[in-house]
Every structure is written in structure tokens, then in C-alpha cells.
Amino acid sequence: MTTFNNRFNMQFFILAGCTLLVAYLALVPLAMLLYNSLMSAPPGVPGAIFTLRHYARAYLDPEFFSLWKNTIAFGMWTCLATFVLGTGLAWIYERTNTPFKKIFAVMALVPFIIPGMLSTIAWILLLSPDIGIFNIVLKNLLHLETAPLNVFSMAGMVWTQSMHNYPLVFLMMASAFRSMDMALEEASTLSGAGTFQTFYLVTLPLMRPAVLSAILIMFIRTIEGFSVPAIIGLPAGIEVFTAKIYMALHQYPTDFGLASSLAVSLLLITIIGVFAYRKFTRQEERFVTVTGKGYRPRMIDLGPAKYVLSGCCMAFFTITIAVPLLIILWSSFVPFYEIPSLEGLARFSWKNYVYIFKFPMAVRAFRNSIFLMVGTATLTMLLTSIMAWITVKSKIKGKAMLDAVIFVPIALPGIVLGVSLIYVYLTLPLGIYGTIWILLIAYITKMMPYGLRTTTASIMQIHRELEEASALSGASWGITFRKITLPLLISGFMAGWLYIAMVSLRELATSILLYSQGTEVLSIVVFDLWEGGKYPALCAIGIVMTLMLVLLALVADKVGSKIGIKRIA
């Protein structure tokens, strides 16, 4: 009886502790943001009273309508561009007999590895009216006096952000194409419909849940982005919510009231998007087509057009991936930014790489980024593994509510989460504001929904009999979870760990508000060097970050494969 009670108490305290921790991480920042947006004084200042003055000042500002318009336009146009690019590439890979399509599938995922801020800077170096290589080449070829392309515009913002986002659309739509039965498409073709007519009238309607999910997720990811609005939008005079919030907190004196009211406004947009996403994905059973284990989709023969399409894909990846990476690589070896030339080769050196490894701020940033990357990925996956067990395996009442609570941070844009945590830790006497621990808390909070989705999918495949057998053998819940559940979760655990580690290494939007001297991360150093005009040095850091992400992906894949082999054995 005593043993049973001890097991029950340990399980209860572990589950209750993790549940309270998740509720604290997800709900307290949101509550503090809403509370402080209604207070007359900054957090921690006595004598504050409730007021709507901050909202009135924000909403009655003549520029507020322009702020809304720019944010919505930026989100919608980027959604359209990423959907067309990602879906087109997914259709080519899954449905056609285009040559080299497997190589194209790998190339489509490369932008995910490149840090978003580095990609943004690369497009400035290519499309800037003054120094952009593409503009210089076009002006010389066409004998133009003015630059035909301008990255400092809404179109430039949309293009640059689309280059960050389309890999996720590619993954989502490729999965949808792969799981859909082609019988209806074949029936359409036999009825005389052309390839593109069938795609428009049959394929897309059947994929409506995937299409809506991709569009809504892209919209949320776009309007919460920071690097493109800050680096391209602000110089262009195109303000969106994330950039405006950043400016409110970095002016003197700091305008906490304006920042909080704008953060709540941005939060409302993302919440509407998340609710719409969840509503549409709940109804996806209506669009299911049945396939069997032996099902293999028939490839569409494009005839001679397949070679033209293959050439177009090669040109696209050359322009959008190879050229930006090459210009960053070139710039990392020259003493000052210059257009690539044969004369410039004579000035190649390793000085920029030597500089960044001797620059104290960069050295601290490497150390801090690696600590946050490993700590965030490991702690998030351990926490969400327990939460996944609760939501899938346990019979605890209210577990659906717990699942919803964990999902809350996905509606918190990084810049909004940063504002919220400023309020939390300026108010609560915990002493972690200005330390690296506040960054770790922010990263874990932001990454919880992604970790939970990965572990939930894996834990659903673990049969309850294995855990029951362990319990009948006398093992406690903790031992069962550590020796039975976690090893069986390892593939999903590693996939989630890799994704969270990669995102954490390049995170900027939350870090830009929460870092202090001594807690800088790599993305902050790149941003600081950009503002200081030290382009070669930031390019060197960007190349090192990219190599770290590539190495991380290779190591995780190798470790995952070895673990998988051991499990099979």
C-alpha cells in the first residue's frame, strides 16, 4: 500500500508540477501584457491606475490606419507568394516526371537552414538601388540611369519574406499531395480536362484543409516576423506592427504604453488567425480520400515541357539560393563591401573570421547561443513529452484544456512575447531580468507548441500494453516514462529537438527586446554589426551560423539513424 501511495504521489507531483509550469509559461505573460496595457505607469512604478489612454493614443494616431494597412498587406501578399512557390514546387516533386526533381526537393529546404536575417541582408546586397549587384548588372546591360529593382519597398519586403517562408509551404503541400488519391484527378483527365485545369478544379478543392492551413500559418509567421520589417521596412518608411513596437521600446524615454497597446493589437490579429486555422483543420475529415499501403500516385507526363520546367527550377534555385549565399561568402572574405570582381580576389583574407572570434561580444554570443540552443531544445522536448503523455495517455480531467494552454504561445509573436516578459520580470521579484535565464524562458515558451505537436504524433503510436507491463513489473511511473516511453519516442524527440535547436539559434524578434550586455546572442551581434555598417564581419558570422546549422542537421540525422538501428536490433 505504501509503495502504491509513493508511486501515486510521485506521478501526481511530476504531472502537477509540469502542468503548473506550462500554465505559468503560457498564461502569465499574456495576463501581464493585458494588465499593463491598461495601467497608467510603466511596470514597477507605484501609483499606477487603470486607463484606456494608451489605446486611445495608439488608435487615434493618424498613422495607425497606415500601420494596419501595411501589416495586413505585407501578410497577405507574402501568403500569396509563398503559397504559389511552395505549392508549385510540391506539385512538381510529387506529381510530375520533371528531371532532377529530387535535387529540387532538397534545394527547396535550404532556405530553412539559412538564418532569416542573413538572407534579408543578402537580398539587400543584391537588390539595393545603390549597391545591389542585380541592379548594377541590369543598368549596364539595358543602359538604364535608374535602378529597375528596389528592395526597399513593399514588393521587396514581400519577396524577401517569401524566400524565408516557402520551404514550410513546400513541406505541408508535398505531404498533402502524397497522401491524396489520384483517382479523381485521373477521372478528370479522362474526361478531357487538361493538366492545369484538373489541378485548379479537382486537386486544389480536395486539398482545401492543407491549403487553408498553409495560408493561415504563413500569414501568422509573416506578420510576426521582425528582420524584414526592421532591416528593409524601416529604411523604406514602411512600418508594420513588429517594427513599431521595437521602436517604441528603443526610443528615449521608453514608451511602454504605446508598445503594450500595439502588442495587444498584433496579438488580436494572430489569435484570429490561429482560431481560423484550428477551425479549418478540425473539418479536414470531409476532404479525406482513401488510399492503401500499395498506393503509388501516377506521375503526370509533361512531355517536352518537363525539360523547360526543370530548367526554370534550376534558374530559380540559382537566383534565390546560390547567388545570395555566394554574395555573403564573397563579402565575408573582403576587407570592405565591394562588387565581386577579379581585382577583389587579390584582397581575399581570413581577417573577418579572425575578427569575429576575437571580438568579445561575438565570443560571448557564440557561447550564449549554443547554451540557449541546447538548453531550449532539450528542456522543451522533455517538458512537452510529459505533456503529450498527459493529453494522449492519461485519464486526467481537463487535459483538453491543457492542450489548448500549451497551444497559446503560437499566437504570441516573438516581439509580443518579448514585451510580455519584460512586464512579467520587471514586476515579479525573481531577479532574472537582464540575465540569460529570461531568454531561456522566452525560447522555451515560444517553442512549446512545436515540441508538443511532434511528441504527440509519436506517443500516439506507443501501445498502452508496454507501459502496463512495466507497471506490473513493479516499475514506478517515472522509471516507466524514462525507460519505456522516452526511448520509444526518440525519433519524434530528435525531429522536434532538431527543429527547435535550429530555430533557437537564429531567433531575433524576442531576443532583441530581452538581451542585455553579456547575454547577447548571434542574431543580436549580426543586427548590431548591420547597424554599424560592418558588412564583411556580419557576413563572416552569418557563414559560421549557417555551417553550424548544417552540421547540427547532419549530426542529428546521424544520431537519429543510429538510435533507430539500435531500437530495431
Side-chain angles (χ1 to χ4, degrees):
M1 188 67 175
T2 303
T3 304
F4 174 79
N5 288 334
N6 289 338
R7 286 184 197 155
F8 177 79
N9 290 336
M10 186 184 73
Q11 178 179 346
F12 173 79
F13 284 120
I14 291 175
L15 299 184
C18 290
T19 301
L20 291 174
L21 177 60
V22 166
Y24 170 79
L25 293 174
L27 299 181
V28 171
L30 181 60
M32 291 298 291
L33 172 64
L34 296 174
Y35 174 78
N36 281 279
S37 70
L38 297 170
M39 301 304 293
S40 60
V45 176
I49 59 173
F50 282 98
T51 179
L52 293 174
R53 179 168 56 89
H54 303 315
Y55 289 98
R57 188 158 57 93
Y59 294 168
L60 296 178
D61 187 337
E63 297 182 354
F64 187 73
F65 175 75
S66 176
L67 195 66
W68 272 90
K69 184 180 70 174
N70 290 339
T71 301
I72 299 300
F74 180 47
M76 293 183 67
W77 282 113
T78 303
C79 277
L80 178 62
T82 52
F83 178 75
V84 171
L85 286 172
T87 304
L89 291 170
W91 180 76
I92 291 170
Y93 176 63
E94 292 292 341
R95 285 290 195 257
T96 71
N97 62 342
T98 303
F100 309 114
K101 65 178 185 178
K102 291 185 178 180
I103 297 177
F104 299 154
V106 175
M107 294 299 294
L109 299 178
V110 170
F112 181 74
I113 297 177
I114 303 172
M117 192 171 174
L118 184 66
S119 175
T120 302
I121 293 171
W123 284 110
I124 292 176
L125 299 179
L126 293 173
L127 299 177
S128 169
D130 300 320
I131 62 173
I133 294 176
F134 286 168
N135 279 316
I136 293 173
V137 171
L138 290 174
K139 285 169 67 175
N140 292 334
L141 287 176
L142 303 176
H143 305 289
L144 301 173
E145 295 187 3
T146 58
L149 304 172
N150 184 10
V151 73
F152 297 106
S153 63
M154 178 61 77
M157 291 175 64
V158 169
W159 171 262
T160 306
Q161 189 69 43
S162 299
M163 293 303 100
H164 300 174
N165 289 355
Y166 80 82
L168 182 56
V169 178
F170 169 78
L171 288 173
M172 294 176 68
M173 300 306 290
S175 176
F177 278 122
R178 195 178 307 122
S179 61
M180 189 182 70
D181 195 342
M182 282 190 66
L184 297 175
E185 293 175 302
E186 292 173 354
S188 174
T189 304
L190 292 174
S191 299
T195 299
F196 294 101
Q197 187 179 11
T198 298
F199 178 79
Y200 178 75
L201 295 177
V202 178
T203 308
L204 280 182
L206 286 174
M207 299 174 65
R208 180 179 151 189
V211 170
L212 292 174
S213 297
I215 290 174
L216 288 168
I217 288 175
M218 285 304 102
F219 181 78
I220 295 170
R221 286 175 64 92
T222 299
I223 65 172
E224 74 172 14
F226 176 74
S227 59
V228 172
I231 299 176
I232 296 179
L234 287 178
I238 304 173
E239 288 188 335
V240 297
F241 274 107
T242 51
K244 188 73 172 179
I245 294 169
Y246 169 75
M247 295 300 293
L249 290 173
H250 280 74
Q251 67 183 29
Y252 183 81
T254 301
D255 197 337
F256 285 102
L258 180 61
S260 60
S261 58
L262 293 176
V264 172
S265 301
L266 179 58
L267 179 63
L268 289 176
I269 301 175
T270 56
I271 286 175
I272 292 171
V274 169
F275 273 115
Y277 164 72
R278 299 203 75 174
K279 179 180 178 181
F280 285 123
T281 53
R282 279 197 209 103
Q283 300 173 355
E284 61 186 12
E285 299 85 11
R286 296 185 300 154
F287 299 87
V288 171
T289 55
V290 179
T291 60
K293 287 185 177 180
Y295 166 74
R296 291 291 183 274
R298 180 182 61 84
M299 294 295 103
I300 298 173
D301 186 1
L302 299 177
K306 65 184 179 183
Y307 299 108
V308 176
L309 191 59
S310 182
C312 290
C313 289
M314 289 181 182
F316 172 76
F317 289 122
T318 300
I319 294 172
T320 61
I321 296 177
V323 174
L325 278 176
L326 287 174
I327 190 61
I328 292 294
L329 186 63
W330 165 274
S331 300
S332 71
F333 284 106
V334 293
F336 52 85
Y337 177 72
E338 59 178 304
I339 303 301
S341 63
L342 293 176
E343 293 80 7
L345 288 173
R347 290 183 281 274
F348 263 34
S349 72
W350 293 95
K351 289 184 179 179
N352 294 315
Y353 291 92
V354 173
Y355 170 77
I356 64 172
F357 285 111
K358 289 185 176 180
F359 182 34
M361 183 178 175
V363 173
R364 288 197 305 268
F366 276 107
R367 183 174 63 248
N368 293 336
S369 292
I370 292 173
F371 169 76
L372 289 170
M373 176 186 72
V374 176
T376 301
T378 304
L379 293 175
T380 301
M381 292 308 299
L382 288 173
L383 178 61
T384 54
S385 294
I386 297 174
M387 293 298 100
W389 186 90
I390 294 174
T391 56
V392 175
K393 297 289 187 180
S394 74
K395 298 180 181 179
I396 298 174
K397 294 181 179 180
K399 62 182 183 181
M401 181 63 69
L402 176 61
D403 182 74
V405 169
I406 301 176
F407 200 72
V408 165
I410 207 168
L412 283 172
I415 201 88
V416 175
L417 179 61
V419 175
S420 304
L421 291 177
I422 288 175
Y423 292 144
V424 172
Y425 294 105
L426 282 179
T427 303
L428 300 180
L430 298 180
I432 66 170
Y433 184 78
T435 70
I436 199 170
W437 302 109
I438 193 173
L439 289 170
L440 182 62
I441 290 173
Y443 288 11
I444 292 173
T445 303
K446 188 62 181 173
M447 292 297 109
M448 282 194 306
Y450 304 100
L452 182 70
R453 291 298 171 261
T454 304
T455 51
T456 298
S458 299
I459 208 166
M460 290 176 68
Q461 301 175 11
I462 300 175
H463 202 284
R464 190 182 298 275
E465 288 180 355
L466 297 172
E467 295 173 323
E468 291 174 349
S470 176
L472 290 173
S473 300
S476 66
W477 179 86
I479 293 176
T480 299
F481 186 82
R482 180 167 54 88
K483 293 191 173 183
I484 303 295
T485 307
L486 273 181
L488 293 173
L489 276 175
I490 197 65
S491 59
F493 190 98
M494 289 300 300
W497 193 97
L498 174 62
Y499 175 80
I500 292 172
M502 294 177 74
V503 173
S504 299
L505 183 64
R506 60 191 190 186
E507 210 290 326
L508 173 64
T510 304
S511 306
I512 199 74
L513 297 184
L514 298 176
Y515 86 97
S516 59
Q517 186 175 4
T519 64
E520 303 92 347
V521 293
L522 288 173
S523 58
I524 297 298
V525 176
V526 173
F527 189 80
D528 186 69
L529 291 173
W530 171 258
E531 289 191 320
K534 298 180 180 179
Y535 305 154
L538 73 86
C539 288
I541 289 183
I543 292 297
V544 174
M545 287 178 68
T546 303
L547 292 175
M548 288 172 64
L549 289 168
V550 171
L551 180 63
L552 179 66
L554 293 175
V555 170
D557 180 68
K558 189 171 183 179
V559 170
S561 299
K562 285 185 176 180
I563 292 173
I565 292 172
K566 289 179 180 179
R567 283 178 57 195
I568 293 172

